[in-house]
């Protein structure tokens, strides 16, 4: 087939007319949707893998900072003089959410303004400074300020990672690469638990826990100097020749022209004006933004964070130490993430999401039944089994898929800002669920609250079946064109 690329597609940058042949021939598509080369084969996954691995360090740091204060919190409060102050202890844990919310709000503008690579490097700066402040401080105020800075980096980095991985991955392995984000998060959580193990035996070990987190942040900032920039971002900025060079590094020389042709096709008719946040709430972009924000809201309304925060209490009730409980949760999370990685490009995003939400609803139902203490020892086993199954179900789809799916369905023009909005909704709902959980548990009881969480999971499954499109094996440009045609 032949693309007729008219000059109307290049209104913003005249150099694009010279950079691309108007009668460019696109190689034949392979069955998985990847652009073919001379022999009809898709681009190799090996070229993009190192760049994806460097990007996922952000997710590793996200997981590490999520779990780094779990074990050392008691030692931190004793050394800094706020032992027994539950409000202060809660702030040390949760203030990262406030910083993350702020970081998310600016992540889209930063990623569009300075590029994906520089945005990664910028996100490591508050993580390094915040970790150092937390490690050196002798006061509660210093700890809170350090954690707030770390949260800002946590909010900025993951949305950029989702964008970058989606934009540099070949279609045939984009689902698998997208799963690396969840796997890296799980590894970060497990590593933080491992590093925090000696905290009760070694005085002031919690300071070492914070120093350790600065190492991968520094390494990522350096490694990003050797990674490619997103070709989609370069093309949107009018830097066509540079976009071609990055495509050659990612896909190989045989696939550059077909990739550029697909990119030009999706941009045809774009007026080139930057998108304001207000424009995401109306017009042709509203539907995909609505899907994205609703998915992240339902993800948090499922009760996943309440399970993570309060699972130790259930495990201790059957004589299992809290440290072992956290490791069991981490292993279940990691196992599900690995399975999701293997199935993402085989079963597709939609099937994994639907199955995950239904499985979560069933698992939360087990916890609701287990909350009935009249069942005796059976209630304990139902609760423990329900928790582990719920975490496993979450990691199979509802955890990794939204962060991969949304950058796929968002047009290049709005991708960064739309991801920033959706992640802000994620952090906002996360904050309110965490804030209100204990009060609702006290007023409604565990059976009613867990039933509400289970119902939210059912709503999530129904929503995905009705509104989410399958993106498996399609190029970003094919997805964008097909969504615009359905509106």
């Amino acid at each position: 087939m032949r693309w007729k690329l008219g000059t109307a597609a290049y209104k913003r940058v005249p150099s694009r007319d010279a950079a691309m042949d108007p009668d460019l021939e696109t190689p034949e598509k392979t069955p998985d949707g990847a652009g073919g080369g001379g022999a009809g084969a898709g681009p190799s996954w090996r070229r993009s893998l190192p760049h994806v691995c460097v990007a996922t360090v952000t997710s590793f740091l996200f997981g590490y900072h999520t779990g780094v204060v779990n074990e050392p919190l008691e030692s931190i409060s004793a050394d800094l003089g706020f032992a027994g102050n539950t409000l202060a202890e809660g702030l040390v844990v949760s203030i990262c959410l406030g910083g993350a919310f702020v970081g998310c709000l600016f992540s889209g503008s930063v990623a569009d303004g300075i590029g994906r690579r520089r945005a990664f490097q910028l996100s490591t700066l508050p993580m390094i400074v915040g970790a150092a402040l937390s490690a050196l401080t002798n006061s509660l105020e210093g700890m809170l300020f350090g954690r707030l800075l770390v949260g800002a980096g946590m909010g900025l980095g993951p949305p950029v990672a989702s964008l970058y991985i989606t934009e540099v991955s070949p279609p045939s392995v984009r689902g698998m690469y997208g799963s690396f984000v969840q796997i890296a998060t799980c590894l970060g959580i497990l590593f933080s638990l491992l590093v925090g193990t000696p905290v009760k035996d070694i005085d002031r070990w919690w300071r070492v826990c914070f120093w350790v987190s600065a190492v991968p942040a520094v390494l990522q900032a350096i490694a990003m100097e050797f990674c490619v920039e997103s070709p989609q971002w370069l093309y949107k900025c009018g830097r066509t020749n540079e976009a071609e060079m990055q495509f050659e590094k990612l896909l190989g020389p045989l696939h550059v022209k077909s990739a550029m042709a697909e990119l030009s096709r999706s941009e045809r008719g774009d007026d080139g004006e930057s998108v304001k946040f207000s424009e995401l709430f109306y017009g042709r972009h509203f539907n995909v933004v609505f899907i994205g924000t609703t998915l992240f809201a339902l993800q948090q309304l499922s009760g996943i964070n309440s399970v993570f925060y309060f699972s130790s209490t259930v495990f201790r009730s059957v004589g299992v130490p809290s440290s072992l409980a956290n490791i069991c949760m981490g292993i279940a999370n990691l196992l599900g993430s690995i399975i999701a990685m293997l199935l993402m490009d085989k079963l597709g995003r939609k099937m994994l999401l639907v199955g995950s939400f239904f499985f979560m609803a069933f698992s939360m139902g087990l916890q609701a039944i287990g909350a009935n203490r009249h069942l005796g020892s059976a209630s304990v086993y139902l609760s423990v089994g329900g928790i582990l199954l719920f975490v496993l179900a979450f990691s199979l789809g509802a955890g990794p898929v939204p962060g991969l799916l949304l950058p796929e369905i968002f047009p290049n023009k709005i991708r960064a800002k739309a991801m920033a909005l959706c992640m802000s909704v994620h952090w906002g709902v996360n904050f309110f669920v965490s804030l209100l959980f204990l009060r609702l548990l006290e007023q409604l009881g565990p059976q009613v609250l867990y039933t509400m969480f289970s119902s939210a999971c059912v709503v999530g499954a129904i929503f995905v079946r009705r509104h989410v499109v399958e993106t498996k094996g399609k190029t970003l440009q094919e997805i964008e064109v097909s969504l615009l045609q359905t509106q």
Side-chain angles (χ1 to χ4, degrees):
M1 62 187 295
R2 299 177 66 86
W3 301 115
K4 294 295 184 179
L5 303 178
T7 57
Y10 309 112
K11 290 179 180 179
R12 287 175 288 170
V13 183
S15 63
R16 289 183 181 167
D17 293 325
M20 295 184 61
D21 182 356
D23 290 321
L24 177 65
E25 184 170 349
T26 302
E28 185 178 354
K29 291 278 182 178
T30 59
D32 64 1
S44 172
W45 53 268
R46 293 180 179 86
R47 290 176 174 267
S48 54
L49 179 61
H51 310 283
V52 170
C53 289
V54 173
T56 55
V57 174
T58 292
S59 300
F60 177 86
L61 287 166
F62 173 83
Y64 186 90
H65 284 294
T66 298
V68 70
V69 297
N70 285 350
E71 287 296 325
L73 184 58
E74 184 177 343
S75 298
I76 293 172
S77 61
D79 288 346
L80 298 186
F82 59 92
N85 187 338
T86 56
L87 177 60
E89 291 177 350
L91 281 174
V92 170
V93 174
S94 62
I95 196 169
C96 275
L97 298 178
F101 179 77
V102 175
C104 272
L105 289 178
F106 291 98
S107 63
S109 300
V110 171
D112 276 343
I114 63 177
R116 310 327 190 206
R117 288 172 60 226
R118 298 304 179 210
F120 274 120
Q121 292 174 320
L122 182 61
S123 73
T124 63
L125 182 60
M127 288 192 178
I128 295 170
V129 175
L133 285 175
S134 299
L136 294 171
T137 187
N138 291 309
S139 66
L140 172 61
E141 292 76 16
M143 175 61 68
L144 293 178
F145 184 58
R147 294 285 289 167
L148 182 66
L149 288 178
V150 166
M154 290 170 61
L156 176 58
V160 178
S162 295
L163 289 174
Y164 184 81
I165 293 172
T166 299
E167 293 173 344
V168 304
S169 302
S172 59
V173 293
R174 194 169 57 238
M176 181 178 68
Y177 283 173
S179 301
F180 285 6
V181 170
Q182 182 72 10
I183 292 175
T185 303
C186 297
L187 291 175
I189 294 173
L190 286 174
F191 186 64
S192 71
L193 297 175
L194 179 64
V195 172
T197 301
V199 72
K200 295 181 180 179
D201 301 321
I202 302 177
D203 188 38
R204 299 180 182 274
W205 182 259
W206 60 268
R207 297 184 185 274
V208 176
C209 297
F210 287 113
W211 278 122
V212 168
S213 67
V215 177
V218 171
L219 292 177
Q220 185 187 35
I222 296 172
M224 264 297 156
E225 282 296 316
F226 304 96
C227 291
V228 300
E229 182 54 271
S230 163
Q232 280 82 358
W233 179 76
L234 290 170
Y235 186 90
K236 186 168 68 171
C237 294
R239 297 157 63 177
T240 309
N241 292 334
E242 293 179 59
E244 289 180 347
M245 293 172 60
Q246 303 306 302
F247 268 135
E248 183 173 351
K249 292 178 181 179
L250 291 167
L251 307 177
L254 294 176
H255 303 278
V256 173
K257 289 187 176 180
S258 60
M260 292 297 293
E262 285 280 0
L263 195 54
S264 176
R265 182 187 176 206
S266 69
E267 294 285 316
R268 182 175 297 185
D270 186 359
D271 58 11
E273 297 294 328
S274 61
V275 177
K276 299 178 181 178
F277 266 109
S278 59
E279 295 179 53
L280 301 178
F281 299 98
Y282 61 86
R284 64 175 184 167
H285 301 307
F286 173 77
N287 287 339
V288 289
V289 173
F290 171 74
I291 291 172
T293 53
T294 304
L295 262 183
F296 269 121
L298 289 170
Q299 180 197 64
Q300 294 304 306
L301 290 173
S302 69
I304 182 62
N305 282 304
S306 66
V307 170
F308 278 127
Y309 295 156
F310 301 101
S311 60
S312 297
T313 303
V314 177
F315 279 92
R316 279 198 299 267
S317 67
V318 291
V320 179
S322 60
S323 58
L324 181 58
N326 290 329
I327 292 175
C328 289
M329 298 273 289
I331 292 174
N333 200 2
L334 179 61
L335 177 63
S337 300
I338 294 173
I339 295 174
M341 177 189 71
L342 299 175
L343 298 179
M344 193 77 72
D345 289 310
K346 293 181 174 62
L347 298 181
R349 288 60 153 155
K350 186 172 183 177
M351 182 176 293
L352 284 179
L353 266 180
V354 172
S356 175
F357 272 120
F358 274 130
F359 192 8
M360 289 165 66
F362 169 76
S363 304
M364 189 60 76
L366 291 181
Q367 294 183 64
I369 296 173
N372 184 357
R373 299 306 176 189
H374 297 295
L375 297 177
S377 60
S379 67
V380 175
Y381 292 111
L382 285 171
S383 298
V384 171
I387 288 175
L388 294 178
L389 287 176
F390 186 84
V391 172
L392 178 65
F394 175 81
S395 61
L396 285 172
V401 172
L404 166 67
L405 177 72
L406 301 188
E408 290 182 321
I409 66 175
F410 291 148
N412 191 31
K413 182 180 178 181
I414 70 165
R415 188 172 293 136
K417 288 186 173 65
M419 276 301 297
L421 175 64
C422 293
M423 288 299 292
S424 298
V425 170
H426 166 275
W427 286 111
V429 178
N430 183 353
F431 173 78
F432 283 108
V433 170
S434 303
L435 180 67
L436 298 175
F437 176 77
L438 287 178
R439 181 175 292 273
L440 291 175
L441 186 65
E442 179 182 335
Q443 294 184 351
L444 301 178
Q447 286 185 301
V448 174
L449 185 57
Y450 291 160
T451 301
M452 291 170 61
F453 286 148
S454 181
S455 300
C457 294
V458 174
V459 172
I462 296 172
F463 178 83
V464 171
R465 284 180 62 90
R466 291 186 176 181
H467 297 285
V468 172
V469 298
E470 184 53 70
T471 60
K472 178 186 68 173
K474 298 179 181 178
T475 67
L476 298 180
Q477 290 68 47
E478 288 173 334
I479 297 168
E480 182 174 343
V481 170
S482 65
L483 285 172
L484 288 176
Q485 289 174 347
T486 60
Q487 294 179 11

